[in-house]
Amino acid sequence: MRKATLVMIVGMLLMTASCIPVSKITYLQESKSNVADTLMTARRLQPPYRLQVNDVLNITMTNSPDPRLEELFSGTTGEAEAGAGTAGYGVDLRGDIRLPEIGNVKAIGLTTDELQEKLKEIILEKYVKEETELFLTVKLSGISYTMVGEVSGSGLNTVQREQVNIIEAIADSGGVPVTGDLTAVKIIRNYPDGVKVHKLDLTDLDVVYSPYYYIQPNDMIVVDPLPQKVIGTGTTGLSTFGTIVTVLSALVTSILLFTRL
């Protein structure tokens, strides 16, 4: 009787620990602070992004008073040293971008708006020599980030948009399988004073209010495996049942062999 009870207890423990709950693998579940169907405003106004090494920029000029200037910025003749797979003007290891004729311009630490004004001042002084309005635009040429961990597609990804949230970034890289933990997704982000790690619970609808909901260039997104993946138990009811049957069969066999000794 005691042996049968022991087998039942072990079976119940396995059943409890093995199945992956739906709440762990479902994105953006109902907010704890907002009722369903409430209009939610995502935090789209992020702090200004400051350029880093490996960023790639798209610089264009239109309606210039000097045709040479439009030719100067026509196409993507800059050196995209970042290796991000995107044509454009790359911020090199010295923090500079290299422009035709103009040469090296310090870009690291500036916002795209600040770099845009800096380039306008350089061009006005070097080429125009008079007060005029320049139609110069500086934008990030896509957002590059890295996906690692329990994901369907790991590695470096580039999205050709100026703003991408973390769920879009994960979807663009293939998504997270059911064995990935959505409750503590890590964003490893570079700052001027070092690297910081931020955690997001993607199962909670309130994540859209997080200042880290929108990714930045050169972010690393890390998804850890759920305990069920680590200990090797089933991820679905059927696979869990098969695992439990196998374990219980082994236990019963061991007990029978032990009692016959």
Side-chain angles (χ1 to χ4, degrees):
M1 183 69 176
R2 291 176 60 187
K3 296 169 186 174
T5 303
L6 177 62
V7 171
M8 290 179 61
I9 291 174
V10 172
M12 291 175 64
L13 288 174
L14 282 171
M15 182 69 77
T16 303
S18 56
C19 282
I20 295 178
V22 175
S23 61
K24 293 281 188 179
I25 58 175
T26 303
Y27 289 94
L28 302 180
Q29 296 169 54
E30 184 175 341
S31 171
K32 299 179 181 63
S33 59
N34 293 278
V35 297
D37 299 326
T38 299
L39 179 64
M40 300 182 68
T41 304
R43 187 170 181 171
R44 292 182 176 274
L45 294 178
Q46 301 296 301
Y49 174 70
R50 298 196 172 274
L51 298 172
Q52 305 175 34
V53 172
N54 293 335
D55 283 342
V56 182
L57 301 170
N58 182 19
I59 304 175
T60 58
M61 177 176 287
T62 57
N63 298 325
S64 169
D66 187 340
R68 288 185 307 158
L69 295 179
E70 291 193 30
E71 293 178 4
L72 192 65
F73 295 102
S74 63
T76 52
T77 55
E79 298 180 5
E81 299 177 11
T86 303
Y89 300 90
V91 181
D92 62 24
L93 295 176
R94 298 176 298 276
D96 300 336
I97 57 172
R98 184 173 179 81
L99 299 172
E101 296 190 29
I102 294 176
N104 291 339
V105 178
K106 188 64 68 178
I108 192 168
L110 301 178
T111 66
T112 53
D113 286 343
E114 289 170 349
L115 179 58
Q116 182 174 292
E117 292 305 313
K118 183 176 183 178
L119 291 177
K120 283 183 179 179
E121 292 176 4
I122 294 173
I123 292 169
L124 285 171
E125 181 180 351
K126 187 171 183 178
Y127 292 96
V128 181
K129 306 293 184 182
E130 61 184 30
E131 190 68 27
T132 186
E133 184 176 3
L134 294 179
F135 294 91
L136 180 72
T137 303
V138 177
K139 292 184 178 181
L140 283 168
S141 186
I143 296 177
S144 294
Y145 62 97
T146 303
M147 288 288 303
V148 295
E150 193 68 10
V151 293
S152 298
S154 61
L156 182 65
N157 299 274
T158 301
V159 180
Q160 302 301 323
R161 287 186 299 234
E162 289 189 70
Q163 191 175 63
V164 180
N165 66 52
I166 187 170
I167 295 179
E168 292 171 332
I170 289 174
D172 284 339
S173 64
V176 174
V178 294
T179 50
D181 187 359
L182 295 179
T183 64
V185 176
K186 294 190 284 286
I187 293 181
I188 301 175
R189 180 167 293 175
N190 294 307
Y191 292 92
D193 56 345
V195 176
K196 296 181 182 179
V197 179
H198 310 288
K199 288 187 178 181
L200 294 177
D201 183 356
L202 301 187
T203 68
D204 187 352
L205 191 58
D206 283 339
V207 73
V208 300
Y209 296 123
S210 170
Y212 314 111
Y213 181 61
Y214 287 92
I215 68 168
Q216 292 185 0
N218 306 310
D219 277 353
M220 178 180 291
I221 301 172
V222 182
V223 181
D224 292 328
L226 285 165
Q228 288 81 357
K229 171 68 179 291
V230 177
I231 64 178
T233 54
T235 57
T236 65
L238 184 59
S239 60
T240 298
F241 179 75
T243 302
I244 292 173
V245 169
T246 301
V247 173
L248 289 180
S249 298
L251 282 173
V252 171
T253 302
S254 300
I255 291 171
L256 290 175
L257 288 174
F258 178 76
T259 56
R260 290 178 181 178
L261 294 178

